[in-house]
């Protein structure tokens, strides 16, 4: 079974060693698993909640995109995109907002922390609280539920948001599913083995504490940062305690078991802190040197990054657009063309359960979907220049006749007059594809009186 994994990074700062060891590196390793379908995105809408500096957000988007690619993310294996390039996410956010209970959002940690702080200082409880901060969990739920992620790797402070996504998704399924589960219930994935790195002062490495070591800073800047790592006052020759050394913790996150054992032994035998810091720099420079060059090369080619992200957005929207169409149908935002056609006699054609749904793309072209009685998508049309052309094709299909269906691996296409006019989804296997073909034939079969 393929497991869909989704990870987002908020674009408000420059990636540091802690981001790399705690999130980026393990995510890239996980993406290489044969049974993983990975979605990675730049959470730039989330950034607007925390930051009102446009230049900082723009720079951070560039740096984080370049970091993922330089660190080895294979965009042919994963779906890599910017949140703001997927308009379906914001529309889904509104659909979910309309079913999310205010009481649920009142319990969100970030909102409660802001209220508590205001109360402590004698301010109005909601002073400085924006609707972005308050409804942040709904936007995060839309990120997760749009792509029906099975697992969402998060820190412990983010578990609540995954749980809230489950609550909101369950509520939507209950209200509009009518037996169909639109949303998979996501699970928070907590990897206890993933390193949480200390910063220069021993606290968790964080931009908030200004104690970070930038991931792809120059060799000189990295060496200067390492020289500022706080250590005890023991002199060279005196035994050091590796288990209480922030420097040793950093070294462990990047070294082999053999290197770790040697470093531990040398510290116990009195290795000086100056030499220990030099070894840490050598290790990091060796580990990150090639990636650093790739990173700076990408930073200098922002147009290439833009092309990669837009291609990723197109890939993501192939999932998001038809799914959002189903959700719009479910809540009643339906095209008038999907109504049962009335014959000239005034008698309704017998309903076969399947229905056509027309919609307009952002580029102005028109398309339609054919949905089975249970809401499963059977076909998604190609793009048409105008609604009349799309309507003519859907009308021709409703009139019945021999179908020109051509199979391609685990999917199929529909042809009319020598032209491909629609595509099926990609099914789990050939058996599922063939079952869908039979459903399609039944849905489009001429109705008997």
């Amino acid at each position: 079974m393929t497991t869909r994994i989704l990870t987002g990074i908020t674009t408000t700062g420059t990636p540091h060693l802690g981001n790399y060891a705690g999130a980026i590196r393990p995510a890239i390793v996980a993406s290489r698993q044969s049974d993983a379908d990975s979605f990675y995105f730049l959470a730039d809408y989330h950034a607007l909640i925390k930051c009102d500096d446009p230049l900082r957000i723009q720079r951070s988007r560039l740096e984080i995109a370049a970091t993922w690619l330089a660190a080895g993310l294979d965009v042919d294996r994963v779906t890599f995109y910017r949140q703001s390039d997927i308009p379906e996410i914001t529309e889904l956010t509104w659909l979910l907002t309309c079913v999310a209970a205010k009481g649920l959002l009142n319990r969100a940690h970030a909102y409660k922390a802001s209220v508590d702080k205001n109360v402590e200082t004698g301010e109005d409880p909601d002073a400085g609280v924006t609707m972005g901060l308050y409804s942040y969990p709904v936007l995060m739920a839309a990120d997760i539920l749009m792509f029906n992620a099975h697992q969402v790797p998060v820190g412990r402070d983010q578990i609540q948001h995954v749980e809230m996504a489950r609550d909101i998704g369950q509520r939507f399924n209950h209200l509009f599913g009518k037996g169909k589960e639109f949303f998979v219930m996501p699970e928070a994935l907590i990897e206890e083995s993933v390193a949480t790195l200390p910063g220069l002062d021993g606290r968790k490495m964080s931009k908030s504490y200004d104690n970070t070591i930038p991931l792809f800073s120059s060799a000189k800047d990295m060496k200067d940062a390492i020289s500022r790592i706080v250590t005890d006052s023991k002199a060279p020759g005196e035994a050091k305690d590796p288990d209480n050394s922030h420097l040793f913790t950093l070294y462990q996150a990047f070294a082999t078991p053999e290197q770790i054992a040697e470093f531990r032994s040398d510290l116990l035998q009195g290795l000086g802190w100056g030499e220990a810091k030099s070894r840490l720099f050598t290790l990091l420079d060796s580990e990150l040197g090639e990636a650093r060059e790739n990173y700076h090369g990408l930073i200098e080619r922002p147009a290439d990054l833009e092309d990669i992200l837009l291609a990723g957005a197109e890939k993501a929207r192939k999932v998001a657009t038809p799914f959002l169409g189903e959700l719009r149908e479910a809540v009643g935002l339906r095209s008038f063309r999907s109504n049962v056609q009335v014959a000239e006699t005034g008698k309704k054609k017998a309903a076969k359960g399947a229905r056509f749904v027309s919609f307009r793309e952002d580029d102005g072209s028109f398309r339609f979907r054919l949905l089975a009685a249970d809401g499963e998508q059977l076909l998604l049309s190609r793009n048409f220049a105008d609604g009349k052309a799309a309507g003519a094709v859907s009308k021709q299909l409703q009139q019945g006749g021999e179908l020109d269906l051509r199979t391609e691996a685990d999917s199929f296409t529909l042809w009319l007059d020598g032209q491909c006019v629609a595509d099926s989804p990609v099914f789990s296997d050939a058996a599922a594809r063939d079952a869908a073909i039979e459903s399609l034939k039944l849905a489009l079969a001429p109705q008997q009186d």
Side-chain angles (χ1 to χ4, degrees), residues 35-264:
D35 60 348
D37 180 17
S38 301
F39 282 64
Y40 298 116
F41 67 97
L42 309 183
D44 47 1
Y45 277 143
H46 288 295
L48 299 178
I49 299 169
K50 305 176 182 179
C51 179
D52 57 6
D53 181 349
L55 294 179
R56 179 179 176 183
I57 288 176
Q58 175 64 6
R59 180 66 185 178
S60 181
R61 292 161 96 224
L62 182 70
E63 290 177 341
I64 292 176
T67 295
W68 278 96
L69 297 173
L73 187 68
D74 184 351
V75 294
D76 292 327
R77 291 182 60 91
V78 307
T79 304
F80 182 51
Y81 58 96
R82 278 178 302 222
Q83 183 186 37
S84 59
D85 286 332
I86 316 297
E88 291 83 1
I89 289 175
T90 48
E91 185 168 351
L92 177 57
T93 299
W94 181 249
L95 298 185
L96 299 180
T97 297
C98 293
V99 303
K102 182 175 181 291
L104 180 69
L105 300 184
N106 286 344
R107 296 191 290 273
H109 296 326
Y111 173 64
K112 286 180 65 178
S114 294
V115 170
D116 291 345
K117 184 177 180 181
N118 286 334
V119 170
E120 287 177 9
T121 57
E123 297 279 350
D124 180 272
D126 286 325
V129 176
T130 66
M131 281 305 299
L133 173 65
Y134 183 72
S135 61
Y136 173 96
V138 186
L139 177 57
M140 187 165 177
D143 290 325
I144 297 168
L145 298 175
M146 172 57 76
F147 298 107
N148 275 320
H150 299 102
Q151 295 180 348
V152 185
V154 291
R156 292 197 170 277
D157 59 336
Q158 292 286 320
I159 293 176
Q160 186 195 43
H161 287 133
V162 180
E163 293 173 343
M164 293 174 83
R166 291 172 60 90
D167 290 340
I168 296 169
Q170 286 174 335
R171 177 65 175 164
F172 189 98
N173 284 344
H174 174 72
L175 290 174
F176 303 110
K178 296 181 180 178
K180 178 180 175 64
E181 298 293 310
F182 286 107
F183 297 122
V184 168
M185 293 299 102
E187 297 288 344
L189 181 62
I190 308 298
E191 298 187 28
E192 301 292 355
S193 62
V194 170
T196 298
L197 295 190
L200 303 180
D201 57 1
R203 291 180 295 177
K204 175 184 175 182
M205 190 175 294
S206 169
K207 295 183 289 292
S208 301
Y209 300 144
D210 192 26
N211 67 350
T212 65
I213 300 176
L215 179 59
F216 292 133
S217 60
S218 68
K220 179 181 182 304
D221 289 344
M222 178 175 285
K223 193 168 189 177
D224 289 345
I226 291 172
S227 71
R228 299 197 303 274
I229 294 175
V230 175
T231 59
D232 62 32
S233 58
K234 290 183 178 179
E238 292 185 78
K240 316 296 190 300
D241 181 3
D243 296 324
N244 287 303
S245 165
H246 312 313
L247 192 150
F248 183 72
T249 301
L250 284 166
Y251 190 92
Q252 283 187 108
F254 295 91
T256 65
E258 293 76 17
Q259 289 172 320
I260 293 170
E262 181 182 357
F263 195 49
R264 171 185 286 275

Side-chain angles (χ1 to χ4, degrees), residues 123-419:
E123 297 279 350
D124 180 272
D126 286 325
V129 176
T130 66
M131 281 305 299
L133 173 65
Y134 183 72
S135 61
Y136 173 96
V138 186
L139 177 57
M140 187 165 177
D143 290 325
I144 297 168
L145 298 175
M146 172 57 76
F147 298 107
N148 275 320
H150 299 102
Q151 295 180 348
V152 185
V154 291
R156 292 197 170 277
D157 59 336
Q158 292 286 320
I159 293 176
Q160 186 195 43
H161 287 133
V162 180
E163 293 173 343
M164 293 174 83
R166 291 172 60 90
D167 290 340
I168 296 169
Q170 286 174 335
R171 177 65 175 164
F172 189 98
N173 284 344
H174 174 72
L175 290 174
F176 303 110
K178 296 181 180 178
K180 178 180 175 64
E181 298 293 310
F182 286 107
F183 297 122
V184 168
M185 293 299 102
E187 297 288 344
L189 181 62
I190 308 298
E191 298 187 28
E192 301 292 355
S193 62
V194 170
T196 298
L197 295 190
L200 303 180
D201 57 1
R203 291 180 295 177
K204 175 184 175 182
M205 190 175 294
S206 169
K207 295 183 289 292
S208 301
Y209 300 144
D210 192 26
N211 67 350
T212 65
I213 300 176
L215 179 59
F216 292 133
S217 60
S218 68
K220 179 181 182 304
D221 289 344
M222 178 175 285
K223 193 168 189 177
D224 289 345
I226 291 172
S227 71
R228 299 197 303 274
I229 294 175
V230 175
T231 59
D232 62 32
S233 58
K234 290 183 178 179
E238 292 185 78
K240 316 296 190 300
D241 181 3
D243 296 324
N244 287 303
S245 165
H246 312 313
L247 192 150
F248 183 72
T249 301
L250 284 166
Y251 190 92
Q252 283 187 108
F254 295 91
T256 65
E258 293 76 17
Q259 289 172 320
I260 293 170
E262 181 182 357
F263 195 49
R264 171 185 286 275
S265 175
D266 289 348
L267 286 171
L268 290 171
Q269 293 178 37
L271 180 70
W273 286 124
E275 174 60 24
K277 290 178 179 180
S278 178
R279 287 196 195 180
L280 175 60
F281 166 73
T282 300
L283 175 70
L284 292 176
D285 193 50
S286 173
E287 166 91 8
L288 302 172
E290 182 179 351
R292 182 195 299 132
E293 287 187 26
N294 294 337
Y295 171 83
H296 288 291
L298 288 164
I299 288 290
E300 293 171 1
R301 303 193 310 275
D304 290 350
L305 284 173
E306 184 73 12
D307 289 342
I308 291 169
L309 287 166
L310 290 179
E314 183 178 0
K315 187 176 178 181
R317 294 193 68 197
K318 287 181 178 178
V319 177
T321 302
F323 185 44
L324 183 64
E326 289 185 51
L327 301 178
R328 288 174 60 91
E329 282 277 308
V331 302
L333 304 179
R334 302 169 183 166
S335 167
F336 296 150
R337 287 183 181 148
S338 64
N339 291 342
V340 177
Q341 300 294 315
V342 179
E344 292 182 2
T345 61
K347 176 183 176 182
K348 283 187 177 180
K349 289 176 70 175
K352 297 181 285 252
R355 61 187 185 276
F356 285 86
V357 181
S358 301
F359 62 98
R360 190 172 188 175
E361 291 281 20
D362 292 344
D363 62 5
S365 63
F366 289 79
R367 304 176 80 178
F368 64 81
R369 280 182 288 273
L370 176 60
L371 303 179
D374 63 358
E376 180 187 4
Q377 181 172 295
L378 298 175
L379 285 175
L380 174 64
S381 79
R382 297 291 175 94
N383 299 72
F384 295 90
D386 55 67
K388 184 176 180 180
V393 172
S394 63
K395 184 176 180 181
Q396 185 176 347
L397 292 175
Q398 292 175 64
Q399 291 172 349
E402 187 70 23
L403 297 177
D404 183 1
L405 300 173
R406 307 181 188 182
T407 58
E408 299 177 359
D410 293 331
S411 64
F412 61 88
T413 54
L414 173 65
W415 295 66
L416 284 178
D417 302 325
Q419 289 189 328

